[in-house]
Amino acid sequence: MSKEELIEELKKIVGSEYVQTSQEDLYAYSYDATPGHTYLPDVVVSPGTTEEVSRIMKLANANRVPVYTRGSGTNLSAGTAPLKGGIVLLMLRFNKIIDVDLENLIAEVEAGVIVQDINDHIAQYGLIYPPDPGTVKTASLGGTIAENSGGLRGLKYGITKNYVQGLEVVLANGDVLHTGGKNVKDVSGYDMTKLFTGSEGTLGIVTKALLKLVPAPQAQKSMVAIFDTIEDAGRAVSGIIAAKIIPATLEILDNATIRTVEDFMHVGLPTDADAILLIEVDGHPVIVEDDAKKVMEVLEENNAREVTLARDPAHKEQLWTARRMALPCLAKLRPTTFVEDATVPRSKIPAFLNIIKKAAKEHNVTIGTFGHAGDGNMHPTIVCDLRDEDETKRVRAAMDDIFRGAVSLGGTLSGEHGIGLGKLPWMELQHGKEGMEAMRSIKRALDPNLILNPGKLLGEC
């Protein structure tokens, strides 16, 4: 089938107004939030129903046309970049919150709904959907399921896979599969819901999800702690967990990030500090009060130079400004920003941060690091200019040191951003040949013509 014939068939399925073919439109969907990966698709299609997705996949599968599913395009691993052309399947018309089941605390939500809109909708019931990636106000649900996104609350509340109870998925051949359900327990066969969650669009296309909801915490307390050494900050993180306190959020900023945020925002950060920790505990008011006191004691025992407890909501907002502005401020330094998310055991955070520092120095690149200290998920953020070939080579070499360092410490290439194309070169380092072949065999079983997000996560299958 020629490209022109394919486009005409797609128009018959969804209507001409939902098929985009102009060069301007194709370019707009040729990249995502990951620098250095731009690939022009042949066509952009916006289905509005599961039946339309099924018909599109039957057409694509019969003609072996690559399909790249896309929501808001906020991912940071080139997960939605159309590497081999073909169809970009834009899911933003799937924008309905279908139902909120208050007896079972389950929401039925379409894949194109923005994550923040889910929480805005269920707030009236005193509920939250905990996964909160940094792009929570723009990321679509389907994309966060595909990437198994985390966020600041991951330490206490878990990540996306912990809240997806069921899925409607369109397979590569157009079959529609329903996994999971509203049951609290279900051990009847393989856990297909977990298989598709985090599969990065390589196994099927999520159209709807059943999401577990939890009661919103009654109270919160936030604090910031300043440290003269990264090692003391790391020991404080381990000390908090050892004290059997699990904060809702436990974040770290290194000196490079502190200095950059202060230069741009002037929020009073101590630019001579080696690290700061930002912590929030939540839950029942009595427990929160007790946990906050214990956390402050642990911080002081581990040589915190200063610990400041938020006095009121306005002061809390001021304290968290530094964390929220870390990435935007770092991104202002240079034209290109790589935000990575290698993850290590909590006890290895100081060692990993020193690996990052060493990589920056040896390769003469600028790296600011911040992240989720409570779960070991660091965000070494490299700012550079991809137009400078020499600098780009040095950036790639620094990345290699960082990822190899994470794996050597018992860590992983990604805690929440996914693999996509960005981290593909290091997958075998972590999983070995046997692990890669096991995953590729699953891919070939569900997508024998290899049309779903080809070239991503597992490379060539």
Side-chain angles (χ1 to χ4, degrees):
M1 180 177 285
S2 69
K3 181 169 75 172
E4 290 73 22
E5 290 172 324
L6 173 69
I7 290 169
E8 288 306 310
E9 289 300 314
L10 291 170
K11 287 179 179 178
K12 291 177 184 178
I13 294 172
V14 301
S16 299
E17 66 269 37
Y18 296 117
V19 177
Q20 301 174 64
T21 58
S22 73
Q23 285 299 109
E24 294 83 359
D25 288 331
L26 297 182
Y27 186 77
Y29 295 101
S30 67
Y31 59 93
D32 50 33
T34 317
H37 294 282
T38 301
Y39 313 96
L40 210 65
D42 294 313
V43 60
V44 179
V45 185
S46 300
T49 67
T50 301
E51 180 188 0
E52 288 179 352
V53 175
S54 174
R55 291 174 63 191
I56 290 168
M57 289 312 304
K58 288 177 181 177
L59 176 67
N61 195 50
N63 292 278
R64 288 168 168 72
V65 178
V67 177
Y68 294 90
T69 311
R70 181 186 178 107
S72 299
T74 58
N75 82 89
L76 293 164
S77 59
T80 56
L83 177 64
K84 299 186 178 183
I87 298 169
V88 165
L89 195 70
L90 189 60
M91 297 295 289
L92 295 181
R93 289 179 64 203
F94 283 77
N95 57 7
K96 299 181 184 65
I97 298 174
I98 298 169
D99 181 53
V100 178
D101 181 343
L102 296 178
E103 292 184 340
N104 290 301
L105 296 185
I106 296 286
E108 184 178 3
V109 183
E110 290 187 331
V113 174
I114 302 303
V115 175
Q116 184 61 52
D117 290 346
I118 300 172
N119 275 309
D120 290 345
H121 181 78
I122 63 178
Q124 61 186 307
Y125 307 116
L127 300 171
I128 61 170
Y129 171 65
D132 62 335
T135 52
V136 65
K137 293 183 179 180
T138 52
S140 57
L141 176 66
T144 63
I145 292 172
E147 299 289 353
N148 195 15
S149 299
L152 273 68
R153 294 190 291 216
L155 170 60
K156 180 174 182 177
Y157 289 98
I159 58 178
T160 297
K161 69 178 181 181
N162 304 119
Y163 294 90
V164 179
Q165 290 220 178
L167 293 171
E168 180 179 83
V169 181
V170 180
L171 300 179
N173 65 1
D175 288 352
V176 180
L177 176 68
H178 293 90
T179 75
K182 294 184 179 182
N183 299 298
V184 175
K185 296 178 179 179
D186 183 353
V187 293
S188 57
Y190 295 128
D191 191 341
M192 299 295 284
T193 304
K194 292 288 193 297
L195 177 63
F196 286 103
T197 303
S199 63
E200 300 192 21
T202 62
L203 302 180
I205 298 164
V206 173
T207 52
K208 286 191 292 189
L210 295 174
L211 305 177
K212 181 173 73 172
L213 311 177
V214 299
Q218 299 176 41
Q220 303 92 20
K221 275 190 178 292
S222 291
M223 65 197 78
V224 60
I226 301 166
F227 291 88
D228 291 324
T229 72
I230 208 83
E231 288 77 15
D232 283 339
R235 281 190 287 270
V237 170
S238 297
I240 291 168
I241 305 303
K244 301 179 178 60
I245 300 167
I246 308 298
T249 53
L250 177 45
E251 301 291 297
I252 192 168
L253 280 70
D254 74 351
N255 178 260
T257 306
I258 293 167
R259 287 185 286 105
T260 302
V261 172
E262 183 59 24
D263 285 346
F264 282 105
M265 299 300 298
H266 307 293
V267 291
L269 296 180
T271 55
D272 62 332
D274 205 29
I276 63 173
L277 293 179
L278 288 150
I279 305 141
E280 181 168 285
V281 292
D282 69 2
H284 187 280
V286 175
I287 295 174
V288 166
E289 192 71 31
D290 187 54
D291 282 352
K293 290 178 181 178
K294 289 179 180 177
V295 168
M296 294 181 75
E297 289 172 2
V298 172
L299 295 170
E300 290 166 357
E301 288 168 2
N302 285 277
N303 304 317
R305 182 207 303 176
E306 182 182 332
V307 181
T308 302
L309 186 68
R311 299 182 299 271
D312 50 44
H315 190 207
K316 170 187 169 181
E317 181 73 13
Q318 181 183 347
L319 293 181
W320 282 96
T321 295
R323 173 61 180 87
R324 283 198 307 273
M325 295 306 297
L327 177 56
C329 289
L330 286 166
K332 288 182 179 181
L333 294 176
R334 301 295 301 281
T336 308
T337 306
F338 289 94
V339 188
E340 301 301 346
D341 73 318
T343 302
V344 297
R346 277 188 294 263
S347 61
K348 301 294 185 180
I349 289 174
F352 186 45
L353 290 174
N354 283 325
I355 287 172
I356 296 169
K357 280 185 181 180
K358 183 180 178 183
K361 184 176 181 180
E362 286 190 358
H363 300 290
N364 189 27
V365 294
T366 301
I367 306 178
T369 303
F370 57 94
H372 317 307
D375 54 30
N377 189 184
M378 296 292 100
H379 293 307
T381 301
I382 307 175
V383 292
C384 61
D385 188 343
L386 277 183
R387 296 169 296 185
D388 184 329
E389 292 185 10
D390 178 68
E391 185 178 30
T392 299
K393 289 178 181 177
R394 288 185 279 113
V395 166
R396 300 295 182 191
M399 285 182 179
D400 188 63
D401 288 354
I402 290 168
F403 290 131
R404 290 182 182 278
V407 173
S408 74
L409 295 171
T412 177
L413 302 174
S414 177
E416 57 189 8
H417 293 171
I419 301 301
L421 286 172
K423 302 184 187 74
L424 186 56
W426 296 276
M427 277 288 279
E428 191 171 306
L429 173 70
Q430 179 177 339
H431 295 284
K433 291 181 180 180
E434 297 82 3
M436 293 299 291
E437 180 52 32
M439 288 188 280
R440 285 169 177 155
S441 68
I442 296 171
K443 165 71 171 173
R444 291 191 293 265
L446 289 173
D447 180 16
N449 291 329
L450 307 178
I451 63 169
L452 283 169
N453 213 3
K456 310 291 184 61
L457 181 60
L458 304 173
E460 298 302 325
C461 294

